[in-house]
């Protein structure tokens, strides 16, 4: 099955999450992705999260649509193999600390000598230059440095980090986007992606607000400084629902539904920012109405009023939800290790050139012989490279 990126070859020599996930996004839409790992030290992502019978489950999603090859890039013979692969590639994604590829003799200068049109995406915590560039770093540091953690959590509680790779995921999306932009230029170039930056963009206008007003946004828990009511509320049968009133008309519908049409006429109700200053009163009205009713009734009444609401799901709710089922958000993939395995589908639907999950994450080095044979490595040479620990 082909896709809109059919014919684009990507070398994924990155590890863990931001770089590899960017390559996954490209592979989902048809790019030929070759995952390069160390022969004796596989991508650490293979050891993250739960496993079944020794088979890592997160890798089945992160490694999908990729061929897996083992090469020790730190050995001269391994560096030569990477240059041979790069000569036939369109994109290379890496996330070593700045200077590592250069030390191995496969930095941008050598890669562009082998292939002048190659797009090289360098994904690091802090970027390729600056006082922090040589530091080790992960997405958690980006969540802290960007201001995300300072905004997250209850007002009287500590800053809160997300329980998943949020900054890595945002950087992965940004990297995939940057790669497609660079490919559009048809010029070989280097992308410097610092994980600390894309998440900062998604935090909205906080920098401009501080610049112009000296305003520092506080932690507000599940509430918003931009509108109210906006929170999670417990129903009579012990479940939780989330309510949002980002638009004025929705806010009016919610308060009329819960029996407080009087506040809709208040002058302060006319803007989201002013409503947020009366969040205690609005939350009390919504919370008491929801607490007196079972979840099914609450959701039905909100839908009837055309007001925005959602149940708060864990993964079981996601899998059972009819909207996700209608969209095909979760797909079942046949895997040679696990059999049928469910995972998230590709990110979006395209009417004429859809993406697809062609296979789940493969075993470490499963495609080494096939891939290297295509760049002229013979069986005898492969045997010698294995003996030397290069592959």
């Amino acid at each position: 099955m082909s896709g809109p990126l059919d014919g684009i070859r990507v070398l994924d020599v990155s590890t863990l999450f931001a770089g590899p996930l960017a390559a996954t996004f490209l592979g989902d839409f048809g790019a030929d992705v070759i995952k390069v790992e160390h022969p004796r030290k596989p991508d650490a992502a293979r050891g993250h999260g739960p496993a079944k019978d020794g088979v890592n489950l997160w890798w089945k999603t992160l490694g999908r649509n990729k061929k897996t090859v083992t090469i020790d890039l730190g050995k001269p013979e391994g560096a030569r193999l990477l240059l041979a692969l790069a000569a036939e590639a369109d994109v290379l994604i890496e996330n070593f600390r700045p200077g590592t590829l250069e030390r191995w003799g496969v930095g941008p200068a050598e890669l562009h000598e082998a292939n002048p049109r190659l797009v090289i995406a360098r994904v690091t915590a802090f970027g390729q230059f600056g006082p922090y560039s040589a530091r080790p770093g992960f997405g958690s540091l980006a969540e802290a440095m960007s201001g995300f953690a300072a905004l997250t959590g209850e007002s009287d509680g500590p800053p809160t980090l997300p329980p998943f790779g949020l900054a890595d995921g945002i950087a992965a999306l940004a990297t995939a986007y940057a790669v497609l932009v660079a490919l559009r230029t048809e010029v070989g170039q280097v992308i410097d992606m610092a994980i600390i930056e894309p998440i900062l963009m998604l935090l909205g206008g906080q920098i401009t607000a501080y610049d112009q007003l000296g305003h520092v946004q506080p932690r507000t828990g599940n509430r918003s400084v931009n509108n109210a009511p906006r929170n999670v509320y417990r129903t009579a049968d012990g479940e939780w629902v989330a309510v949002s009133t980002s638009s004025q008309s929705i806010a009016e519908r919610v308060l009329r539904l819960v029996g407080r049409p009087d506040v809709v006429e208040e002058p302060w109700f006319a803007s989201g920012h002013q409503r947020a200053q009366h969040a205690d009163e609005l939350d009390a009205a919504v919370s008491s109405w929801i607490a007196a009713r079972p979840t099914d009734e609450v959701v039905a009444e909100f839908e009837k009023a055309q007001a925005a609401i959602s149940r708060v799901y864990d993964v079981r709710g996601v899998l059972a939800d009819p909207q996700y089922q209608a969209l095909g958000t979760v797909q079942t993939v046949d895997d040679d290790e696990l059999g049928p395995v469910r995972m998230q589908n590709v990110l979006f639907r395209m009417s004429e050139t859809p993406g697809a999950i062609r296979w789940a994450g493969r075993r470490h080095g499963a495609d080494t012989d096939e891939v290297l044979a295509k760049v002229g490595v013979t069986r005898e040479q492969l045997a010698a490279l294995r003996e030397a620990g290069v592959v």
Side-chain angles (χ1 to χ4, degrees), residues 281-292:
E281 179 181 357
L282 298 177
D283 265 348
V286 176
S287 177
S288 60
W289 188 90
I290 287 176

Side-chain angles (χ1 to χ4, degrees), residues 4-10 26 30-33 88-91 117 179-180 183:
L5 299 182
D6 187 34
I8 301 296
R9 176 165 290 185
V10 178
L26 298 172
D32 179 15
V33 180
E88 305 296 325
D90 301 284
V91 179
R117 61 182 178 78
V179 164
L180 295 178
L183 288 173

Side-chain angles (χ1 to χ4, degrees), residues 3 8 27 30 36 42 54-55 101 126 129 164 178 181 228 284 298 332 346 387:
I8 301 296
V36 179
V55 178
L101 288 187
F126 305 110
F129 56 92
F164 64 98
V181 171
V298 170
T332 300
V346 300
E387 180 69 23

